[in-house]
Amino acid sequence: MADQISASHILLMYAGSERSSATRSKQEAIAQIAEIEQQLKDGADFAAVARQHSDCGSAQAGGDLGGFGRGQMVKGFEDAAFALDVGDTSAVVETPFGFHIIKRTG
């Protein structure tokens, strides 16, 4: 099991999620992340979609979070990211920050 991985993500925050300035409701975020998930399944470029939609500061870098080890991310995010094989993309993951789609890059 890897001690350190690299990943990118798309984050959609909603009003009331941790550190959020988003005005969309949780229901709106759920609907939007489902649309994004479908775009990715249909072959859309992950980095381009992240730049367009992600609420994280990493959006400018196509969602790239770089490398991180266990204990550096919130548990739900970490569990999902470490469970992926390199190149795979997760289903929607909910954390206190909102809804994520994660792509393991290394």
Side-chain angles (χ1 to χ4, degrees):
M1 186 177 289
D3 290 333
Q4 179 106 2
I5 65 169
S6 299
S8 296
H9 79 142
I10 296 166
L11 169 63
L12 284 191
M13 297 176 148
Y14 53 87
S17 63
E18 218 167 288
R19 297 186 195 160
S20 175
S21 59
T23 57
R24 71 175 70 86
S25 70
K26 186 172 184 178
Q27 292 71 28
E28 289 169 329
I30 290 168
Q32 190 175 354
I33 199 77
E35 290 174 14
I36 291 168
E37 183 178 31
Q38 189 58 54
Q39 288 175 22
L40 294 171
K41 286 179 180 175
D42 291 344
D45 179 70
F46 192 95
V49 173
R51 279 191 284 278
Q52 184 177 1
H53 295 289
S54 184
D55 292 328
C56 181
S58 67
Q60 293 178 357
D64 185 10
L65 296 170
F68 55 90
R70 291 198 178 272
Q72 291 185 266
M73 301 291 182
V74 293
K75 179 136 179 60
F77 185 98
E78 175 184 299
D79 289 348
F82 274 84
L84 295 169
D85 290 327
V86 175
D88 285 352
T89 302
S90 73
V92 175
V93 176
E94 184 176 5
T95 73
F97 298 98
F99 299 100
H100 308 258
I101 298 175
I102 306 162
K103 181 172 185 170
R104 183 161 170 189
T105 57

